[in-house]
Amino acid sequence: MTNQTMREPHGSGRRTWAAVLVTLASSALCAGAPARAAEPAPYDARAAEVTVSGTHFVDGYGREVVLRGFNVSGETKLAENGGLPFASIEDARKSARALRELGGANSVRFLLSWAAAEPARGRVDEAYLARATAQLREFLAVGLRVYPDFHQDLFSRHIFDKDSWYSGDGAPRWVVQAGGYPRESCGICAHWGQNITQNQAVTKAMRDFWANRNGIQDAFLDTAQATMAYLAAHLDATELAQVAGFDPYNEPYAGQYASGEDGAAWEQGRLWPFYEKFRARMDAAGWRSKPALVEPNMFWNSNLSFMKQPGGLGGVGVLGPRYVFNTHFYDQARMSGFFNLTKAKDGEYAADFNAVRNRAAALNSPAIVSEFGHPLTGTSSDKAPSVLKGQYQALDSGLGGRAWWQNPAAAGPVVSATQWQWDIYSGRHHEAMNDNPNKIRTAGDAWNDEDLSAVRLDDAGTPVLRQDARLLDRLYPSAVAGHTLAFLYEDRSRDAGTATTWSRMPADMPESARLVGAELPYGVLVWRGGGGSGAPTELHLPAGFDPASTTVVSDLGTVTGPGTTGAIAVAPEPGGTRARRIVLSGAAEGLHFALVSAAPATAEQCAAVLRELGRWAAGAGLG
């Protein structure tokens, strides 16, 4: 698909869109100032800050914050750029800007390599940290919040032989050499992930890490502390304010359980003590005000019953503001290519993501799903549009689209998340697998035959999306002054060229249904005002929404083509890119709602929709 096609926001809806414009040509639009170019957003340190309050991320104004974005980048798993996400500062800058403008992100999970940071025992490579920090800084420069992650999969690439079918990443060579592990073998494995439980070299190395054999866990903690101290010393105060925390360890697993031990017991006896040690290292490195984004046993929420294990940090007590419940979700059944051959349906992932919501609530913690996604090539790739739509739907709301309008009070909180992954080098790698010059990998992610990157570079070196922009660049409540009660976004993304609608207006809201139509995206936010800071509520506005024809219908006012001032306005996202946001100001205590549609409307339409929405909100049990 060409770049021009990917950037076209409305695809097969263009004829409908043109017909709407003709109809409206002689009609008065909703009241509002004419849309005009906005001035660059000034830097606001209070808005950039992220801390934890109960079950929510909050900014310096006390607004509820939703973090949305991508993992940057799986390139860190490879050796071709020395464990760095990018080959150059210029590529990092290009990727960061594209992530903001094409992906609609406000945050990134930024991958780091232990192997590159500590190539020899006790020697932290400050040259690597300097290059990583310089690349990370490019994401901060465009207004993104960042949380680093010392990434690992299958413990280490150095466990694997040069002629192996698989590879790993994480621990340095010296760690593997000290372990004296047997020759690695996965046996009969259809997917690289089976090494986690079947490859004895991998499982023994994981066991050794949690047991701190040869002091390797202590070495990791020393390097993590040195890395955080380096970042604290080399980022200025405004940059450091945008660092949202640290993910201590990717996808933790025991490797081998002790006799009588299960996943929950291992979490309490091994994993949680490690997190407490990591938390202490954060404090010592000057990160006391930032949370540790801690992951449970990676199999606690598998959607394959034979892989699911006890866990979810259920036995560690309330986390408090110094930790965040951080987990992953993949549809392993569909990714397998044979356990589930169907496409995802409306509301299918509600139970999976409500399990995340419920676990976080029990821990009195915000939830963040730091990895989710689906392969874009291979036997299950035809499921990707529906799977990703379903996963985003479930992050936005704990209800399917058919149920949301009938019972929005049960929607639950909007969940923060970072999709796997954002790798501009997709399909253009040159990776010697396991350092074997005879096994050069270039396709996809160049790692264990994965291909999940949402972006690539075209032949001109310009980042372009590999997935529907409607699906990735989404409306979401990035900052809510008060408390979010319910949120819905119907992205109208395409699956095999057809617009997919899972969230339909009720029959008793005909004017609202006529406004949103059948092709263009729309969203609804209901919130309770409060907090007293005077800061507005904000929603990220996707690039597919032309500000000149975007309609907002709210108890705060109605407008098509919001201007740059007033109760309903369009403003640039921080960071100097072309990304934009809807700003809703002046909401006092009490119930508020806003419908945001990509379609223009007449004043009469807006008035009718406002009446319908008002009746609906009053009778929806939102309190």
Side-chain angles (χ1 to χ4, degrees), residues 52 112 130 149 174 188 209 223 232 293 306 327 356 361 363 376 380 437 452 471 500 506 511 574 591 620:
V52 171
L112 298 171
D149 157 48
W174 64 263
I188 302 174
F209 180 84
T223 301
L293 286 74
F306 63 87
T327 191
V356 174
L363 293 166
L376 300 185
S380 71
L452 282 87
L471 179 63
T500 307
E511 292 301 322
L591 187 69

mmCIF file with all atom_site columns, all heavy atoms in Angstrom, residues 52 112 130 149 174 188 209 223 232 293 306 327 356 361 363 376 380 437 452 471 500 506 511 574 591 620:
data_model
loop_
_atom_site.group_PDB
_atom_site.id
_atom_site.type_symbol
_atom_site.label_atom_id
_atom_site.label_alt_id
_atom_site.label_comp_id
_atom_site.label_asym_id
_atom_site.label_entity_id
_atom_site.label_seq_id
_atom_site.pdbx_PDB_ins_code
_atom_site.Cartn_x
_atom_site.Cartn_y
_atom_site.Cartn_z
_atom_site.occupancy
_atom_site.B_iso_or_equiv
_atom_site.pdbx_formal_charge
_atom_site.auth_seq_id
_atom_site.auth_comp_id
_atom_site.auth_asym_id
_atom_site.auth_atom_id
_atom_site.pdbx_PDB_model_num
ATOM 1   N N   . VAL A 1 52  ? 1.530   8.757   40.391 1.00 0.00 ? 52  VAL A N   1
ATOM 2   C CA  . VAL A 1 52  ? 0.466   7.793   40.636 1.00 0.00 ? 52  VAL A CA  1
ATOM 3   C C   . VAL A 1 52  ? -0.392  8.279   41.799 1.00 0.00 ? 52  VAL A C   1
ATOM 4   O O   . VAL A 1 52  ? 0.125   8.705   42.840 1.00 0.00 ? 52  VAL A O   1
ATOM 5   C CB  . VAL A 1 52  ? 1.056   6.402   40.953 1.00 0.00 ? 52  VAL A CB  1
ATOM 6   C CG1 . VAL A 1 52  ? -0.033  5.441   41.430 1.00 0.00 ? 52  VAL A CG1 1
ATOM 7   C CG2 . VAL A 1 52  ? 1.758   5.839   39.729 1.00 0.00 ? 52  VAL A CG2 1
ATOM 8   N N   . LEU A 1 112 ? 16.098  -0.837  26.370 1.00 0.00 ? 112 LEU A N   1
ATOM 9   C CA  . LEU A 1 112 ? 17.540  -0.783  26.603 1.00 0.00 ? 112 LEU A CA  1
ATOM 10  C C   . LEU A 1 112 ? 18.085  -2.202  26.682 1.00 0.00 ? 112 LEU A C   1
ATOM 11  O O   . LEU A 1 112 ? 17.338  -3.161  26.897 1.00 0.00 ? 112 LEU A O   1
ATOM 12  C CB  . LEU A 1 112 ? 17.847  -0.043  27.908 1.00 0.00 ? 112 LEU A CB  1
ATOM 13  C CG  . LEU A 1 112 ? 17.407  1.421   27.987 1.00 0.00 ? 112 LEU A CG  1
ATOM 14  C CD1 . LEU A 1 112 ? 17.580  1.943   29.408 1.00 0.00 ? 112 LEU A CD1 1
ATOM 15  C CD2 . LEU A 1 112 ? 18.180  2.285   27.007 1.00 0.00 ? 112 LEU A CD2 1
ATOM 16  N N   . ALA A 1 130 ? 25.417  7.007   26.935 1.00 0.00 ? 130 ALA A N   1
ATOM 17  C CA  . ALA A 1 130 ? 25.363  8.337   26.327 1.00 0.00 ? 130 ALA A CA  1
ATOM 18  C C   . ALA A 1 130 ? 24.600  8.296   25.009 1.00 0.00 ? 130 ALA A C   1
ATOM 19  O O   . ALA A 1 130 ? 23.762  9.180   24.725 1.00 0.00 ? 130 ALA A O   1
ATOM 20  C CB  . ALA A 1 130 ? 26.779  8.873   26.105 1.00 0.00 ? 130 ALA A CB  1
ATOM 21  N N   . ASP A 1 149 ? 12.937  0.357   29.629 1.00 0.00 ? 149 ASP A N   1
ATOM 22  C CA  . ASP A 1 149 ? 12.772  -1.065  29.931 1.00 0.00 ? 149 ASP A CA  1
ATOM 23  C C   . ASP A 1 149 ? 14.050  -1.786  29.547 1.00 0.00 ? 149 ASP A C   1
ATOM 24  O O   . ASP A 1 149 ? 14.450  -1.759  28.380 1.00 0.00 ? 149 ASP A O   1
ATOM 25  C CB  . ASP A 1 149 ? 11.586  -1.617  29.121 1.00 0.00 ? 149 ASP A CB  1
ATOM 26  C CG  . ASP A 1 149 ? 11.657  -3.126  28.912 1.00 0.00 ? 149 ASP A CG  1
ATOM 27  O OD1 . ASP A 1 149 ? 11.896  -3.839  29.896 1.00 0.00 ? 149 ASP A OD1 1
ATOM 28  O OD2 . ASP A 1 149 ? 11.470  -3.582  27.765 1.00 0.00 ? 149 ASP A OD2 1
ATOM 29  N N   . TRP A 1 174 ? 29.074  -12.645 29.419 1.00 0.00 ? 174 TRP A N   1
ATOM 30  C CA  . TRP A 1 174 ? 29.783  -13.123 30.598 1.00 0.00 ? 174 TRP A CA  1
ATOM 31  C C   . TRP A 1 174 ? 28.846  -13.813 31.592 1.00 0.00 ? 174 TRP A C   1
ATOM 32  O O   . TRP A 1 174 ? 29.259  -14.719 32.323 1.00 0.00 ? 174 TRP A O   1
ATOM 33  C CB  . TRP A 1 174 ? 30.558  -11.996 31.277 1.00 0.00 ? 174 TRP A CB  1
ATOM 34  C CG  . TRP A 1 174 ? 29.730  -10.865 31.839 1.00 0.00 ? 174 TRP A CG  1
ATOM 35  C CD1 . TRP A 1 174 ? 29.450  -9.675  31.250 1.00 0.00 ? 174 TRP A CD1 1
ATOM 36  C CD2 . TRP A 1 174 ? 29.084  -10.840 33.124 1.00 0.00 ? 174 TRP A CD2 1
ATOM 37  N NE1 . TRP A 1 174 ? 28.667  -8.890  32.068 1.00 0.00 ? 174 TRP A NE1 1
ATOM 38  C CE2 . TRP A 1 174 ? 28.432  -9.592  33.227 1.00 0.00 ? 174 TRP A CE2 1
ATOM 39  C CE3 . TRP A 1 174 ? 28.992  -11.735 34.184 1.00 0.00 ? 174 TRP A CE3 1
ATOM 40  C CZ2 . TRP A 1 174 ? 27.691  -9.212  34.349 1.00 0.00 ? 174 TRP A CZ2 1
ATOM 41  C CZ3 . TRP A 1 174 ? 28.253  -11.373 35.302 1.00 0.00 ? 174 TRP A CZ3 1
ATOM 42  C CH2 . TRP A 1 174 ? 27.618  -10.123 35.384 1.00 0.00 ? 174 TRP A CH2 1
ATOM 43  N N   . ILE A 1 188 ? 10.856  -30.057 19.718 1.00 0.00 ? 188 ILE A N   1
ATOM 44  C CA  . ILE A 1 188 ? 9.850   -29.790 18.678 1.00 0.00 ? 188 ILE A CA  1
ATOM 45  C C   . ILE A 1 188 ? 9.108   -28.516 19.050 1.00 0.00 ? 188 ILE A C   1
ATOM 46  O O   . ILE A 1 188 ? 8.201   -28.516 19.883 1.00 0.00 ? 188 ILE A O   1
ATOM 47  C CB  . ILE A 1 188 ? 8.873   -30.972 18.544 1.00 0.00 ? 188 ILE A CB  1
ATOM 48  C CG1 . ILE A 1 188 ? 9.637   -32.248 18.205 1.00 0.00 ? 188 ILE A CG1 1
ATOM 49  C CG2 . ILE A 1 188 ? 7.818   -30.676 17.480 1.00 0.00 ? 188 ILE A CG2 1
ATOM 50  C CD1 . ILE A 1 188 ? 8.779   -33.491 18.195 1.00 0.00 ? 188 ILE A CD1 1
ATOM 51  N N   . PHE A 1 209 ? 19.004  -16.545 37.591 1.00 0.00 ? 209 PHE A N   1
ATOM 52  C CA  . PHE A 1 209 ? 18.852  -15.100 37.797 1.00 0.00 ? 209 PHE A CA  1
ATOM 53  C C   . PHE A 1 209 ? 18.043  -14.832 39.063 1.00 0.00 ? 209 PHE A C   1
ATOM 54  O O   . PHE A 1 209 ? 18.431  -13.999 39.895 1.00 0.00 ? 209 PHE A O   1
ATOM 55  C CB  . PHE A 1 209 ? 18.176  -14.456 36.592 1.00 0.00 ? 209 PHE A CB  1
ATOM 56  C CG  . PHE A 1 209 ? 17.989  -12.976 36.739 1.00 0.00 ? 209 PHE A CG  1
ATOM 57  C CD1 . PHE A 1 209 ? 19.010  -12.097 36.425 1.00 0.00 ? 209 PHE A CD1 1
ATOM 58  C CD2 . PHE A 1 209 ? 16.788  -12.445 37.216 1.00 0.00 ? 209 PHE A CD2 1
ATOM 59  C CE1 . PHE A 1 209 ? 18.844  -10.718 36.580 1.00 0.00 ? 209 PHE A CE1 1
ATOM 60  C CE2 . PHE A 1 209 ? 16.611  -11.074 37.367 1.00 0.00 ? 209 PHE A CE2 1
ATOM 61  C CZ  . PHE A 1 209 ? 17.645  -10.213 37.045 1.00 0.00 ? 209 PHE A CZ  1
ATOM 62  N N   . THR A 1 223 ? 23.823  -2.352  37.394 1.00 0.00 ? 223 THR A N   1
ATOM 63  C CA  . THR A 1 223 ? 23.795  -1.697  36.079 1.00 0.00 ? 223 THR A CA  1
ATOM 64  C C   . THR A 1 223 ? 22.542  -0.862  35.914 1.00 0.00 ? 223 THR A C   1
ATOM 65  O O   . THR A 1 223 ? 22.588  0.248   35.350 1.00 0.00 ? 223 THR A O   1
ATOM 66  C CB  . THR A 1 223 ? 23.888  -2.761  34.964 1.00 0.00 ? 223 THR A CB  1
ATOM 67  O OG1 . THR A 1 223 ? 25.108  -3.483  35.134 1.00 0.00 ? 223 THR A OG1 1
ATOM 68  C CG2 . THR A 1 223 ? 23.861  -2.126  33.591 1.00 0.00 ? 223 THR A CG2 1
ATOM 69  N N   . ALA A 1 232 ? 19.373  10.513  35.180 1.00 0.00 ? 232 ALA A N   1
ATOM 70  C CA  . ALA A 1 232 ? 19.038  11.619  36.080 1.00 0.00 ? 232 ALA A CA  1
ATOM 71  C C   . ALA A 1 232 ? 20.064  12.746  35.993 1.00 0.00 ? 232 ALA A C   1
ATOM 72  O O   . ALA A 1 232 ? 19.717  13.924  36.126 1.00 0.00 ? 232 ALA A O   1
ATOM 73  C CB  . ALA A 1 232 ? 18.934  11.101  37.514 1.00 0.00 ? 232 ALA A CB  1
ATOM 74  N N   . LEU A 1 293 ? 7.232   0.121   37.131 1.00 0.00 ? 293 LEU A N   1
ATOM 75  C CA  . LEU A 1 293 ? 6.115   -0.482  36.411 1.00 0.00 ? 293 LEU A CA  1
ATOM 76  C C   . LEU A 1 293 ? 6.353   -1.990  36.377 1.00 0.00 ? 293 LEU A C   1
ATOM 77  O O   . LEU A 1 293 ? 7.038   -2.509  35.493 1.00 0.00 ? 293 LEU A O   1
ATOM 78  C CB  . LEU A 1 293 ? 6.008   0.098   35.002 1.00 0.00 ? 293 LEU A CB  1
ATOM 79  C CG  . LEU A 1 293 ? 5.461   1.543   34.901 1.00 0.00 ? 293 LEU A CG  1
ATOM 80  C CD1 . LEU A 1 293 ? 6.502   2.558   35.359 1.00 0.00 ? 293 LEU A CD1 1
ATOM 81  C CD2 . LEU A 1 293 ? 5.029   1.869   33.495 1.00 0.00 ? 293 LEU A CD2 1
ATOM 82  N N   . PHE A 1 306 ? -3.978  -24.153 28.608 1.00 0.00 ? 306 PHE A N   1
ATOM 83  C CA  . PHE A 1 306 ? -2.898  -25.046 29.023 1.00 0.00 ? 306 PHE A CA  1
ATOM 84  C C   . PHE A 1 306 ? -1.603  -24.302 29.335 1.00 0.00 ? 306 PHE A C   1
ATOM 85  O O   . PHE A 1 306 ? -0.658  -24.882 29.876 1.00 0.00 ? 306 PHE A O   1
ATOM 86  C CB  . PHE A 1 306 ? -2.652  -26.120 27.960 1.00 0.00 ? 306 PHE A CB  1
ATOM 87  C CG  . PHE A 1 306 ? -2.191  -25.588 26.624 1.00 0.00 ? 306 PHE A CG  1
ATOM 88  C CD1 . PHE A 1 306 ? -0.857  -25.365 26.361 1.00 0.00 ? 306 PHE A CD1 1
ATOM 89  C CD2 . PHE A 1 306 ? -3.125  -25.328 25.626 1.00 0.00 ? 306 PHE A CD2 1
ATOM 90  C CE1 . PHE A 1 306 ? -0.439  -24.885 25.132 1.00 0.00 ? 306 PHE A CE1 1
ATOM 91  C CE2 . PHE A 1 306 ? -2.712  -24.849 24.387 1.00 0.00 ? 306 PHE A CE2 1
ATOM 92  C CZ  . PHE A 1 306 ? -1.366  -24.619 24.142 1.00 0.00 ? 306 PHE A CZ  1
ATOM 93  N N   . THR A 1 327 ? 1.363   -5.206  32.659 1.00 0.00 ? 327 THR A N   1
ATOM 94  C CA  . THR A 1 327 ? 1.236   -6.551  32.118 1.00 0.00 ? 327 THR A CA  1
ATOM 95  C C   . THR A 1 327 ? 1.176   -6.503  30.600 1.00 0.00 ? 327 THR A C   1
ATOM 96  O O   . THR A 1 327 ? 1.144   -5.425  29.998 1.00 0.00 ? 327 THR A O   1
ATOM 97  C CB  . THR A 1 327 ? -0.017  -7.247  32.695 1.00 0.00 ? 327 THR A CB  1
ATOM 98  O OG1 . THR A 1 327 ? 0.006   -8.634  32.360 1.00 0.00 ? 327 THR A OG1 1
ATOM 99  C CG2 . THR A 1 327 ? -1.299  -6.619  32.167 1.00 0.00 ? 327 THR A CG2 1
ATOM 100 N N   . VAL A 1 356 ? -7.402  -7.497  33.824 1.00 0.00 ? 356 VAL A N   1
ATOM 101 C CA  . VAL A 1 356 ? -6.327  -6.553  34.113 1.00 0.00 ? 356 VAL A CA  1
ATOM 102 C C   . VAL A 1 356 ? -6.854  -5.411  34.977 1.00 0.00 ? 356 VAL A C   1
ATOM 103 O O   . VAL A 1 356 ? -6.223  -5.025  35.981 1.00 0.00 ? 356 VAL A O   1
ATOM 104 C CB  . VAL A 1 356 ? -5.725  -6.012  32.807 1.00 0.00 ? 356 VAL A CB  1
ATOM 105 C CG1 . VAL A 1 356 ? -4.698  -4.919  33.087 1.00 0.00 ? 356 VAL A CG1 1
ATOM 106 C CG2 . VAL A 1 356 ? -5.090  -7.139  31.994 1.00 0.00 ? 356 VAL A CG2 1
ATOM 107 N N   . ALA A 1 361 ? -7.184  -2.837  40.264 1.00 0.00 ? 361 ALA A N   1
ATOM 108 C CA  . ALA A 1 361 ? -8.025  -2.252  41.309 1.00 0.00 ? 361 ALA A CA  1
ATOM 109 C C   . ALA A 1 361 ? -7.759  -2.919  42.653 1.00 0.00 ? 361 ALA A C   1
ATOM 110 O O   . ALA A 1 361 ? -7.697  -2.248  43.697 1.00 0.00 ? 361 ALA A O   1
ATOM 111 C CB  . ALA A 1 361 ? -9.495  -2.381  40.925 1.00 0.00 ? 361 ALA A CB  1
ATOM 112 N N   . LEU A 1 363 ? -5.037  -4.184  43.612 1.00 0.00 ? 363 LEU A N   1
ATOM 113 C CA  . LEU A 1 363 ? -3.713  -3.744  44.047 1.00 0.00 ? 363 LEU A CA  1
ATOM 114 C C   . LEU A 1 363 ? -3.669  -2.245  44.340 1.00 0.00 ? 363 LEU A C   1
ATOM 115 O O   . LEU A 1 363 ? -2.631  -1.730  44.748 1.00 0.00 ? 363 LEU A O   1
ATOM 116 C CB  . LEU A 1 363 ? -2.676  -4.079  42.964 1.00 0.00 ? 363 LEU A CB  1
ATOM 117 C CG  . LEU A 1 363 ? -2.410  -5.565  42.725 1.00 0.00 ? 363 LEU A CG  1
ATOM 118 C CD1 . LEU A 1 363 ? -1.637  -5.768  41.420 1.00 0.00 ? 363 LEU A CD1 1
ATOM 119 C CD2 . LEU A 1 363 ? -1.655  -6.177  43.898 1.00 0.00 ? 363 LEU A CD2 1
ATOM 120 N N   . LEU A 1 376 ? 1.854   -9.071  11.390 1.00 0.00 ? 376 LEU A N   1
ATOM 121 C CA  . LEU A 1 376 ? 1.348   -8.462  10.157 1.00 0.00 ? 376 LEU A CA  1
ATOM 122 C C   . LEU A 1 376 ? 1.651   -9.296  8.925  1.00 0.00 ? 376 LEU A C   1
ATOM 123 O O   . LEU A 1 376 ? 1.208   -8.968  7.829  1.00 0.00 ? 376 LEU A O   1
ATOM 124 C CB  . LEU A 1 376 ? 1.929   -7.055  10.000 1.00 0.00 ? 376 LEU A CB  1
ATOM 125 C CG  . LEU A 1 376 ? 1.597   -6.092  11.138 1.00 0.00 ? 376 LEU A CG  1
ATOM 126 C CD1 . LEU A 1 376 ? 2.114   -4.698  10.822 1.00 0.00 ? 376 LEU A CD1 1
ATOM 127 C CD2 . LEU A 1 376 ? 0.105   -6.063  11.441 1.00 0.00 ? 376 LEU A CD2 1
ATOM 128 N N   . SER A 1 380 ? -1.392  -16.113 10.474 1.00 0.00 ? 380 SER A N   1
ATOM 129 C CA  . SER A 1 380 ? -2.511  -15.489 11.195 1.00 0.00 ? 380 SER A CA  1
ATOM 130 C C   . SER A 1 380 ? -2.651  -14.002 10.903 1.00 0.00 ? 380 SER A C   1
ATOM 131 O O   . SER A 1 380 ? -3.446  -13.320 11.555 1.00 0.00 ? 380 SER A O   1
ATOM 132 C CB  . SER A 1 380 ? -2.351  -15.698 12.707 1.00 0.00 ? 380 SER A CB  1
ATOM 133 O OG  . SER A 1 380 ? -1.284  -14.922 13.220 1.00 0.00 ? 380 SER A OG  1
ATOM 134 N N   . PRO A 1 437 ? 27.514  -14.956 10.374 1.00 0.00 ? 437 PRO A N   1
ATOM 135 C CA  . PRO A 1 437 ? 27.512  -14.168 9.133  1.00 0.00 ? 437 PRO A CA  1
ATOM 136 C C   . PRO A 1 437 ? 26.819  -14.884 7.978  1.00 0.00 ? 437 PRO A C   1
ATOM 137 O O   . PRO A 1 437 ? 26.515  -14.252 6.957  1.00 0.00 ? 437 PRO A O   1
ATOM 138 C CB  . PRO A 1 437 ? 29.003  -13.963 8.844  1.00 0.00 ? 437 PRO A CB  1
ATOM 139 C CG  . PRO A 1 437 ? 29.682  -15.097 9.544  1.00 0.00 ? 437 PRO A CG  1
ATOM 140 C CD  . PRO A 1 437 ? 28.870  -15.372 10.773 1.00 0.00 ? 437 PRO A CD  1
ATOM 141 N N   . LEU A 1 452 ? 5.876   -7.416  13.599 1.00 0.00 ? 452 LEU A N   1
ATOM 142 C CA  . LEU A 1 452 ? 4.782   -6.714  14.271 1.00 0.00 ? 452 LEU A CA  1
ATOM 143 C C   . LEU A 1 452 ? 4.902   -5.202  14.203 1.00 0.00 ? 452 LEU A C   1
ATOM 144 O O   . LEU A 1 452 ? 4.078   -4.497  14.786 1.00 0.00 ? 452 LEU A O   1
ATOM 145 C CB  . LEU A 1 452 ? 4.692   -7.135  15.743 1.00 0.00 ? 452 LEU A CB  1
ATOM 146 C CG  . LEU A 1 452 ? 4.043   -8.491  16.018 1.00 0.00 ? 452 LEU A CG  1
ATOM 147 C CD1 . LEU A 1 452 ? 5.051   -9.613  15.954 1.00 0.00 ? 452 LEU A CD1 1
ATOM 148 C CD2 . LEU A 1 452 ? 3.355   -8.498  17.386 1.00 0.00 ? 452 LEU A CD2 1
ATOM 149 N N   . LEU A 1 471 ? -6.945  2.927   12.822 1.00 0.00 ? 471 LEU A N   1
ATOM 150 C CA  . LEU A 1 471 ? -6.802  2.009   13.940 1.00 0.00 ? 471 LEU A CA  1
ATOM 151 C C   . LEU A 1 471 ? -5.771  2.495   14.945 1.00 0.00 ? 471 LEU A C   1
ATOM 152 O O   . LEU A 1 471 ? -5.960  2.380   16.163 1.00 0.00 ? 471 LEU A O   1
ATOM 153 C CB  . LEU A 1 471 ? -6.401  0.630   13.407 1.00 0.00 ? 471 LEU A CB  1
ATOM 154 C CG  . LEU A 1 471 ? -6.164  -0.491  14.408 1.00 0.00 ? 471 LEU A CG  1
ATOM 155 C CD1 . LEU A 1 471 ? -7.447  -0.818  15.162 1.00 0.00 ? 471 LEU A CD1 1
ATOM 156 C CD2 . LEU A 1 471 ? -5.628  -1.724  13.700 1.00 0.00 ? 471 LEU A CD2 1
ATOM 157 N N   . THR A 1 500 ? -15.380 -1.221  9.542  1.00 0.00 ? 500 THR A N   1
ATOM 158 C CA  . THR A 1 500 ? -15.933 -2.067  10.586 1.00 0.00 ? 500 THR A CA  1
ATOM 159 C C   . THR A 1 500 ? -16.514 -1.199  11.689 1.00 0.00 ? 500 THR A C   1
ATOM 160 O O   . THR A 1 500 ? -15.807 -0.365  12.256 1.00 0.00 ? 500 THR A O   1
ATOM 161 C CB  . THR A 1 500 ? -14.853 -2.986  11.180 1.00 0.00 ? 500 THR A CB  1
ATOM 162 O OG1 . THR A 1 500 ? -14.219 -3.703  10.123 1.00 0.00 ? 500 THR A OG1 1
ATOM 163 C CG2 . THR A 1 500 ? -15.454 -3.968  12.160 1.00 0.00 ? 500 THR A CG2 1
ATOM 164 N N   . PRO A 1 506 ? -27.902 3.966   19.791 1.00 0.00 ? 506 PRO A N   1
ATOM 165 C CA  . PRO A 1 506 ? -29.214 3.370   20.059 1.00 0.00 ? 506 PRO A CA  1
ATOM 166 C C   . PRO A 1 506 ? -30.290 3.911   19.116 1.00 0.00 ? 506 PRO A C   1
ATOM 167 O O   . PRO A 1 506 ? -30.165 5.022   18.572 1.00 0.00 ? 506 PRO A O   1
ATOM 168 C CB  . PRO A 1 506 ? -29.497 3.787   21.504 1.00 0.00 ? 506 PRO A CB  1
ATOM 169 C CG  . PRO A 1 506 ? -28.167 4.136   22.086 1.00 0.00 ? 506 PRO A CG  1
ATOM 170 C CD  . PRO A 1 506 ? -27.351 4.670   20.949 1.00 0.00 ? 506 PRO A CD  1
ATOM 171 N N   . GLU A 1 511 ? -30.778 11.307  15.584 1.00 0.00 ? 511 GLU A N   1
ATOM 172 C CA  . GLU A 1 511 ? -29.994 12.449  15.101 1.00 0.00 ? 511 GLU A CA  1
ATOM 173 C C   . GLU A 1 511 ? -28.506 12.237  15.361 1.00 0.00 ? 511 GLU A C   1
ATOM 174 O O   . GLU A 1 511 ? -27.663 12.598  14.539 1.00 0.00 ? 511 GLU A O   1
ATOM 175 C CB  . GLU A 1 511 ? -30.473 13.747  15.757 1.00 0.00 ? 511 GLU A CB  1
ATOM 176 C CG  . GLU A 1 511 ? -31.862 14.172  15.323 1.00 0.00 ? 511 GLU A CG  1
ATOM 177 C CD  . GLU A 1 511 ? -31.952 14.378  13.825 1.00 0.00 ? 511 GLU A CD  1
ATOM 178 O OE1 . GLU A 1 511 ? -30.983 14.900  13.228 1.00 0.00 ? 511 GLU A OE1 1
ATOM 179 O OE2 . GLU A 1 511 ? -32.995 14.010  13.240 1.00 0.00 ? 511 GLU A OE2 1
ATOM 180 N N   . PRO A 1 574 ? 1.893   19.138  22.764 1.00 0.00 ? 574 PRO A N   1
ATOM 181 C CA  . PRO A 1 574 ? 3.219   19.657  23.096 1.00 0.00 ? 574 PRO A CA  1
ATOM 182 C C   . PRO A 1 574 ? 4.291   18.989  22.242 1.00 0.00 ? 574 PRO A C   1
ATOM 183 O O   . PRO A 1 574 ? 4.177   17.818  21.882 1.00 0.00 ? 574 PRO A O   1
ATOM 184 C CB  . PRO A 1 574 ? 3.384   19.282  24.568 1.00 0.00 ? 574 PRO A CB  1
ATOM 185 C CG  . PRO A 1 574 ? 1.990   19.078  25.078 1.00 0.00 ? 574 PRO A CG  1
ATOM 186 C CD  . PRO A 1 574 ? 1.206   18.544  23.922 1.00 0.00 ? 574 PRO A CD  1
ATOM 187 N N   . LEU A 1 591 ? -21.574 16.251  36.211 1.00 0.00 ? 591 LEU A N   1
ATOM 188 C CA  . LEU A 1 591 ? -21.488 15.371  35.064 1.00 0.00 ? 591 LEU A CA  1
ATOM 189 C C   . LEU A 1 591 ? -21.301 16.157  33.769 1.00 0.00 ? 591 LEU A C   1
ATOM 190 O O   . LEU A 1 591 ? -21.995 17.141  33.527 1.00 0.00 ? 591 LEU A O   1
ATOM 191 C CB  . LEU A 1 591 ? -22.774 14.542  34.970 1.00 0.00 ? 591 LEU A CB  1
ATOM 192 C CG  . LEU A 1 591 ? -22.808 13.438  33.911 1.00 0.00 ? 591 LEU A CG  1
ATOM 193 C CD1 . LEU A 1 591 ? -21.862 12.305  34.279 1.00 0.00 ? 591 LEU A CD1 1
ATOM 194 C CD2 . LEU A 1 591 ? -24.235 12.908  33.763 1.00 0.00 ? 591 LEU A CD2 1
ATOM 195 N N   . ALA A 1 620 ? -28.384 7.245   32.169 1.00 0.00 ? 620 ALA A N   1
ATOM 196 C CA  . ALA A 1 620 ? -27.446 6.146   31.958 1.00 0.00 ? 620 ALA A CA  1
ATOM 197 C C   . ALA A 1 620 ? -26.858 5.585   33.249 1.00 0.00 ? 620 ALA A C   1
ATOM 198 O O   . ALA A 1 620 ? -25.977 4.727   33.207 1.00 0.00 ? 620 ALA A O   1
ATOM 199 C CB  . ALA A 1 620 ? -26.314 6.591   31.039 1.00 0.00 ? 620 ALA A CB  1
#
